[in-house]
Amino acid sequence: MYALEERIKAVEMYFRYGRKVSAVIRELGYPDRKMLVKWVREYEETGKLHERCAGSNRYSQEEKQEAVDFYLGHGKQIRYTIRSLGYPSREKLMEWIDELAPGQRIIHEGYLKRDKHPSMEKKKDCVMKLATRTGSAEEAAKEAGVSRSSLYTWKRELAHDINISMSKRKTEDTHVPSIISSIEEAEEIIARYENSIAELEEKNRELEERRRHAEIELACLEKAAELLKKDQGISLERLTNREKSLVIDALRERYRLKELLPIFSISKSSYCYCRNALRNDRHADLRTRIRRLFEENNECYGYRRINCLLQRDGIAVSEKVVRRLMKEEGLAIAFVRKKRYSSYKGEISPEVPNLLNRDFHADSPGQKLLTDITEFSIPAGKVYLSPLVDCYDGMVISWSIGTSPNAELANSMLRNGIAKLEDCNETIIHSDRGCHYRWPEWIAIMAEAGLTRSMSKKGLFSRQFCL
């Protein structure tokens, strides 16, 4: 990989610099740490360095000839030859072609085979070309067959060995004062500024793309609100393909199609299909009339009442067509579901067993009692009823009514019922798992009167009570 002279120079410099590997690598630019240590160990063990590596020949002469023949017989394509045969590398195949078929290899214009480990003479020659160039550094690097960064790296390495003036401007007066101490520092500063300018230009392009995308998205939202009567906070991706096609058609004169399609998350084929369907839509006038009727009636008419209005105006159309068109236009009534009252607030106290177990038959009065809280809606508002029912004959022993389902509503009903009972020792009061029957005051009243508590499972009492 490295010539014998380069290896000897690296080992001698290693001992001269007091066995400092980093100093040698920084001075020469080669090799890496492990390879230098390997050379030093070989020199210390044998007293010399080998002239060349004795690597094994991986491919036979027949394989080499086969690869060269395939290259010559199939259009002289190196990449196709390697992909078809599965071997060797590009550099190895070019060596075989030059060896077995000299002059037959096609060298493409502009291709430069760069030496990974150039000699010191080549480095000096390239640096001299850089110093005496008349054009740009990139042209000098291309002429030398190396990269632009390699030229400046070699120039910094050889700055102490050769005296080179990097100034393009030639003048007879050599004593002109300069703020910058050396040309190298000036070029480094220029290089840093060029890199900064390139980064800023890249960021500027990214910001411009983001601004453009935001501008188009805002225009799409405004047009959707105008055409479809949609709120500007709605997601464009949740629109139907037909609605997306309508908005895209309205914006085609201002923006390109490939900019609009990604914002709506719709493919070009779907857009073209919906656009053609809209152009051939025989219900276009009917859609407009249905939307107008829906808006004139405060958006609370369904497809049946809309169909009746159309029939009254002399338009004969099926209810199924009206329902389908209203669904496609997104004309739906907003329902507000009433929230049902529930007294369950969680397991706030230990549960009690279900003693009745759906057996609501009683042999005597006051043996099994049932209770619950029911909500009623009246014109004045909501009221709550808490009764105490005897399973023997269905008689309501006591009850209380109020405008709030609080603890006092249930406790007052219980106290009135206890006052009417003659013997409470064998009485079972069955309820659901509501919070009114699990609060400490209810439990204390039951224990003081000697009543037995019974609770059904969550969600079962109301169904059992109705049965």
Side-chain angles (χ1 to χ4, degrees), residues 66-340:
E66 181 183 359
V68 174
D69 294 341
F70 189 92
Y71 169 81
L72 297 176
H74 292 81
K76 297 183 179 181
Q77 300 180 15
I78 292 180
R79 183 179 300 177
Y80 178 71
T81 302
I82 297 173
R83 188 168 61 249
S84 301
L85 299 179
Y87 73 94
S89 63
R90 185 184 185 93
E91 290 74 10
K92 185 70 69 175
L93 180 58
M94 289 191 295
E95 292 179 3
W96 295 352
I97 296 172
D98 295 338
E99 177 185 355
L100 301 178
Q104 296 295 323
R105 180 168 62 89
I106 298 177
I107 301 177
H108 296 282
E109 184 179 356
Y111 176 77
L112 298 175
K113 183 179 178 181
R114 298 175 178 175
D115 190 1
K116 295 183 179 179
H117 305 285
S119 60
M120 188 60 63
E121 290 74 13
K122 183 177 180 179
K123 290 182 179 180
K124 291 181 179 180
D125 183 50
C126 292
V127 172
M128 290 297 298
K129 291 181 180 179
L130 177 65
T132 58
R133 73 184 188 277
T134 57
S136 63
E138 190 68 30
E139 295 176 355
K142 185 176 181 181
E143 182 182 356
V146 296
S147 62
R148 180 177 178 272
S149 59
S150 298
L151 282 181
Y152 284 101
T153 302
W154 296 344
K155 181 179 71 67
R156 287 192 295 270
E157 294 176 358
L158 303 175
H160 301 288
D161 297 340
I162 57 178
N163 185 15
I164 302 174
S165 174
M166 301 299 296
S167 177
K168 296 181 181 179
R169 184 179 299 174
K170 297 181 181 180
T171 177
E172 297 178 356
D173 188 3
T174 58
H175 301 284
V176 178
S178 177
I179 299 176
I180 305 175
S181 59
S182 65
I183 302 300
E184 295 179 359
E185 295 180 3
E187 292 179 348
E188 291 179 359
I189 294 173
I190 293 173
R192 286 199 300 268
Y193 277 114
E194 289 177 352
N195 295 333
S196 301
I197 292 172
E199 294 177 359
L200 291 175
E201 290 177 351
E202 182 66 24
K203 290 182 180 179
N204 186 34
R205 284 194 295 270
E206 294 178 359
L207 292 175
E208 181 62 25
E209 292 177 358
R210 293 171 58 183
R211 186 201 64 78
R212 176 74 173 179
H213 184 274
E215 176 188 348
I216 299 175
E217 186 173 4
L218 178 60
C220 293
L221 291 172
E222 293 177 350
K223 187 59 68 173
E226 177 185 350
L227 296 179
L228 309 176
K229 307 301 180 183
K230 297 287 186 179
D231 186 10
Q232 292 190 10
I234 194 172
S235 175
L236 296 175
E237 298 178 357
R238 298 179 60 183
L239 299 176
T240 63
N241 286 351
R242 180 181 176 277
E243 294 173 340
K244 294 177 181 178
S245 300
L246 286 174
V247 179
I248 291 175
D249 281 339
L251 296 173
R252 283 289 301 275
E253 296 181 357
R254 295 171 53 187
Y255 305 104
R256 293 179 295 177
L257 183 61
K258 67 177 182 180
E259 294 177 332
L260 295 171
L261 293 179
I263 295 179
F264 290 91
S265 298
I266 183 174
S267 62
K268 185 177 180 180
S269 58
S270 300
Y271 161 72
C272 295
Y273 175 81
C274 294
R275 184 187 60 179
N276 295 332
L278 288 174
R279 290 179 177 177
N280 302 325
D281 188 8
R282 60 190 181 93
H283 297 301
D285 297 336
L286 184 60
R287 292 177 189 272
T288 305
R289 193 177 187 88
I290 290 175
R291 177 177 289 277
R292 182 174 57 82
L293 292 174
F294 184 77
E295 294 174 353
E296 288 177 354
N297 293 278
N298 300 321
E299 300 183 357
C300 60
Y301 275 17
Y303 71 93
R304 293 184 179 91
R305 301 186 73 175
I306 294 293
N307 184 61
C308 291
L309 295 177
L310 294 174
Q311 297 287 347
R312 186 184 62 184
D313 295 340
I315 301 176
V317 62
S318 172
E319 286 187 353
K320 293 182 179 180
V321 175
V322 176
R323 182 174 57 184
R324 176 174 61 83
L325 295 179
M326 291 184 67
K327 183 178 180 181
E328 291 178 357
E329 295 294 326
L331 305 178
I333 303 173
F335 290 95
V336 179
R337 295 185 179 273
K338 295 182 179 181
K339 183 178 180 182
R340 298 182 58 185

Side-chain angles (χ1 to χ4, degrees), residues 341 343-346 348 405 432-439 442:
Y341 169 73
S343 62
Y344 182 74
K345 302 299 180 183
I348 59 179
D432 59 5
R433 292 176 177 265
C435 59
H436 309 83
Y437 315 115
R438 310 186 75 168
W439 282 336
W442 173 276

